[in-house]
Every structure is written in C-alpha cells, then in structure tokens.
Amino acid sequence: MQVLFISLALAIIGGLLLSRVAKILNLPAVTAYLVAGLLLGPYVIGSLGVPGLGFNTLHQVEGLNALSQAAMGFIAFTIGNEFRLSQLKSMGKQAIAIGIGQAVITTALVDVVLIGLHLAFPHLLSLSSAIVLGAIASATAPAATLMVVKQYKAHGPLTKLLMMVVAIDDAVGLVLFAVSYGIANAIEAGSISVTGMVIEPLIEIVLSLGIGALMGFLLNFVETFFHSRSKRMSISVAFVIMMVGISAIKGEIGGVHCGLSLLLSCMMMGTIFCNVCETSEELMDRVDRWTAPISILFFVLSGAELDLQILGNPLILLVGAIYIIARTAGKYTGAYATCKATKCNEKIVKNLGITLFPQAGVALGMSLTAANLSDGAIIRNVILFSVLVYELIGPTLTKKSLMAAGEIKPEGRTSARKINDPKDPVHLH
C-alpha cells in the first residue's frame, strides 16, 4: 500500500513538474503528463525496479484502471455540459451531421487503404484485421481535447462544435466497430451474426442514454436537499462515481449481450443535469477543480501504459504508419467535407478536422475486443503505436488549430502566487 501511494504521488508531482517544461516549449500540459507517464513507466525509470519509483510493470499500471475509469467518467460528465439547449438549437443539426459524416468517411478511407494493403501483401495484414482497424480509426479521444480546451480557456464556435462532435463520435464509433467486428468474425467463422452487428450496439446506446438521463434527473432531485456548495459538489462527485460503477455492469438476456458505454452514460447524465439545474455551471466548475489531480493521473497512467517495445517491430511500424496516414487524411477530409456541406464558417472548415486527430482510450478498448480475432495481436499493437503518436502530437495540433481559429487568447499574467493587477498592461492584453 505504501508503495502504491508513493507511486501515485510521484506520478502527479512528475506530471506537474514536466508541465513547467512544456510551458517553456509552448506545448500543452497534457503532452507533459503523457511524457511523464512514459518516463515513469516500466520501460524507463520503472525498469530500475525501485519500489515506489515509477511503475515497475504494466500489470501494476493496469491495476490502477479504476482511477482511469473514474477520470473518464468525470471527463464525459463535463462534456455533457456542452449540450445545453441553447447550443443544440444553434448547432445541434450541424454537430450530428459532422459527427456521423466524418466518422463514416474516416472508416471508409482507412478500410480502402488497408484492404488494398492486404491485397498487395496478404502476409502483412489479414482482411478481417483491415476491416476492424478501419472502424477503430473513427474513434476520437475526448480527454486530451477537453484538457487542451480547459487549459487555454478556448471559447468560440469551433470549440463548442468540437466538444459536441467528439461526444457524438463515441456513439457512431460504437456502431461502426460492432458492424465491422461482426463482418470480420463472419469472414473468419463463415457465419454472420445480426445480433452482434446491429442489435447489441443499438441496445448499448439506448441503455446508456436512458440510464444516463435517469441519473441526471435523479442527481438534480437529490441536490435540492442540500444548500451548502461543498455538499452539493460532493453529491455530484458521488453520482459520477456511481455512474462509472453502473457502466461496468455487463449481462446477457436471451443470448443478447447487454452493457453500457461509460462515456455515453456519464455524458448523458451531465447533459440532463446541466439543462435542468439552474446552478449547474457553478457546480460543474467546482467538480472540475476537485477532479484536477485525477485528470493528471489519468494522463500519466495513459503514458505509462504505452508499450515502447512495439517500436522495435518493423512490421508494426509499417502498418501503423500507413494506418496513421490514412486515418489522419480521413479525419481531415471527412470533417472538411461535412463542414462545407453543413455551411460552417471557413475557420471551422479548415481547423475542425485537425482537432479530431487525438486517439486513446476508446480505441484501446475496441482493440482489446478485436484481440479475439485470429491475428488480433497486430490490431492491438498497431493501435498502441498510433495512440503513442497521436497522444504526443495531437494536443499540440489541437491547440494550434484553436489558435488559428482565434478561440485561444494570448495568456496574461495569471499566477495564483501574485495578484493580477487590472492596470497591468500584460493583464489588459
């Protein structure tokens, strides 16, 4: 237990110290947290085998999965705050069209490229793996995007649309993956399962949104019994943690597998709560401050979980590089085309696609499921490699795109150790 607490403390401290270096280099803090995780992980400092000094094994990192799941719950809950009725009325149709369009175009493009690779070099990649990788390519990481938006206090049409698209992307990716995985299984087994391809993912989406909505109304009701800000914040935190736990429940009814999406259920709870509670914005802000250390741990653990051994496999590097190029092209062209079609302004058209590059947790979860295929190991390793690349460069590209759109303002003197003088020219700037 003492080793665990020391490791967690060093993870937070290491991430924060490295974020100071990132600030000097003009990089987002999330990049620093990921690099800190790589350094503290089992392939660098952790390999020294000193108890408490970093994470000595991947098993040790995976044992802290509960913390990562809790962090994802709070991230999804916060994203739900972006779906306020006022915003849905102004850009809800655009967000849905873009969220679906860019995901489908990305999957189609990656499928074409990887199936072409399979036909040219069958020994490199199987047809079933190519199809599944195309579906996984649709997934976008909400955590890194949200962290950049919060750090730089990004605000504007692009930021609002981005947060909505990232949330919709999860539901679309879930369906695309289920269909593609069903086709891959059919290719290998010679039989098609309509239940696995269509019914199960639809049940998961409907259940997640329904239970999330119910919990959102219940959270609003329970909070009316408390008037203290700290107690109301505590109730909000408890409900998010409860929703994370409920989302982990799996079952089977009549041969149909039933489960919940953590991201969709927590996001829906946040959406309902922010629309029915008059003081939701203040509470969301307080919950966000309370969960700041958990968010840092989430990214440090994500960095520690990345397997650097895959960098020594030329086959994985080759397939991974092709996958990354195809997915990057798919995300950008998909977002560009759908933004043009929905008549978004030019800044959104040019920059939205770049902000959708980050890929992490959702994709890794899909790759674990895909590991059941005959050569599922190559899918897992290709996604690990892409996550390593995307998570290190994605946040910086997101920041640059938001700056290009004019939605990140130059930072003034905001040190909490100093009083910000409103007459200070820097502060005024």
Side-chain angles (χ1 to χ4, degrees):
M1 186 64 72
Q2 63 268 31
V3 171
L4 172 64
F5 282 124
I6 293 171
S7 297
L8 292 176
L10 287 178
I12 295 175
I13 295 169
L16 288 171
L17 290 176
L18 210 58
S19 72
R20 301 310 301 164
V21 178
K23 187 174 180 65
I24 295 170
L25 298 175
N26 208 26
L27 295 173
V30 63
T31 303
Y33 303 149
L34 289 163
V35 172
L38 280 172
L39 295 176
L40 291 169
Y43 300 104
V44 188
I45 295 175
S47 65
L48 298 174
V50 180
L53 187 60
F55 303 100
N56 306 131
T57 64
L58 277 177
H59 180 71
Q60 185 182 358
V61 180
E62 290 166 359
L64 297 168
N65 186 53
L67 280 173
S68 297
Q69 293 295 300
M72 283 300 297
F74 285 108
I75 288 164
F77 183 67
T78 303
I79 289 175
N81 192 40
E82 301 299 322
F83 285 84
R84 292 184 177 271
L85 287 176
S86 56
Q87 294 181 17
L88 287 173
K89 289 176 182 177
S90 63
M91 57 176 59
K93 291 181 180 178
Q94 280 183 326
I96 293 171
I98 295 168
I100 296 173
Q102 57 81 27
V104 172
I105 290 172
T106 301
T107 294
L109 182 57
V110 176
D111 272 343
V112 168
V113 171
L114 294 184
I115 290 173
L117 178 66
H118 161 73
L119 294 175
F121 306 99
H123 64 284
L124 277 182
L125 190 69
S126 70
L127 179 60
S128 56
S129 293
I131 291 171
V132 170
L133 280 169
I136 296 176
S138 66
T140 300
T145 303
L146 182 63
M147 183 69 83
V148 172
V149 167
K150 286 183 177 179
Q151 180 185 352
Y152 296 103
K153 298 179 176 61
H155 180 74
L158 173 59
T159 303
K160 291 177 181 177
L161 183 62
L162 168 62
M163 299 309 295
M164 295 172 76
V165 168
V166 164
I168 292 167
D169 187 85
D170 182 46
V172 179
L174 184 66
V175 174
L176 290 172
F177 177 75
V179 172
S180 297
Y181 185 60
I183 293 172
N185 269 323
I187 291 171
E188 294 193 351
S191 61
I192 296 175
S193 170
V194 176
T195 299
M197 288 173 60
V198 181
I199 297 175
E200 288 181 356
L202 289 179
I203 287 176
E204 182 171 335
I205 291 171
V206 172
L207 278 178
S208 299
L209 296 178
I211 293 177
L214 178 64
M215 291 291 283
F217 283 115
L218 187 59
L219 169 58
N220 180 61
F221 174 73
V222 173
E223 286 210 302
T224 59
F225 292 101
F226 302 93
H227 304 287
S228 162
R229 289 188 178 92
S230 60
K231 288 179 180 177
R232 293 174 69 222
M233 182 201 73
S234 299
I235 285 292
S236 302
V237 169
F239 265 75
V240 175
I241 294 174
M242 188 191 305
M243 192 71 255
V244 171
I246 292 173
S247 299
I249 297 173
K250 307 290 180 185
E252 187 175 325
I253 302 174
V256 178
H257 296 283
C258 300
L260 298 176
S261 163
L262 184 152
L263 287 173
L264 284 180
S265 54
C266 289
M267 181 199 72
M268 191 62 179
M269 182 171 71
T271 298
I272 295 299
F273 178 66
C274 78
N275 280 290
V276 298
C277 178
E278 294 180 355
T279 58
S280 61
E281 286 207 48
E282 178 201 355
L283 280 170
M284 287 282 193
D285 182 59
R286 285 178 171 271
V287 170
D288 183 51
R289 294 182 186 185
W290 183 87
T291 57
I294 298 177
S295 297
I296 294 171
L297 270 178
F298 171 77
F299 287 106
V300 174
L301 290 173
S302 297
E305 206 171 8
L306 295 176
D307 190 347
L308 296 183
Q309 289 182 331
I310 59 173
L311 297 178
N313 189 330
L315 172 63
I316 298 301
L317 295 182
L318 174 61
V319 178
I322 294 172
Y323 168 85
I324 289 170
I325 293 169
R327 180 181 180 272
T328 300
K331 282 291 178 184
Y332 187 81
T333 56
Y336 188 95
T338 50
C339 284
K340 274 284 189 183
T342 53
K343 298 179 180 179
C344 294
N345 69 56
E346 201 60 28
K347 288 183 178 179
I348 292 178
V349 171
K350 290 180 178 178
N351 294 292
L352 180 65
I354 299 172
T355 64
L356 297 174
F357 289 168
Q359 186 174 48
V362 177
L364 288 172
M366 291 177 176
S367 70
L368 278 175
T369 302
N372 295 318
L373 295 172
S374 59
D375 62 344
I378 193 171
I379 296 175
R380 174 70 173 168
N381 287 328
V382 166
I383 296 303
L384 277 170
F385 174 60
S386 73
V387 167
L388 176 63
V389 174
Y390 278 125
E391 285 296 88
L392 291 177
I393 67 172
T396 300
L397 293 176
T398 298
K399 175 194 172 186
K400 289 184 179 297
S401 295
L402 291 173
M403 288 187 73
E407 299 191 7
I408 291 180
K409 306 301 179 187
E411 293 181 280
R413 180 157 60 81
T414 57
S415 171
R417 299 181 65 86
K418 300 177 182 178
I419 297 174
N420 286 318
D421 184 358
K423 296 180 181 179
D424 188 331
V426 176
H427 180 72
L428 287 171
H429 180 69

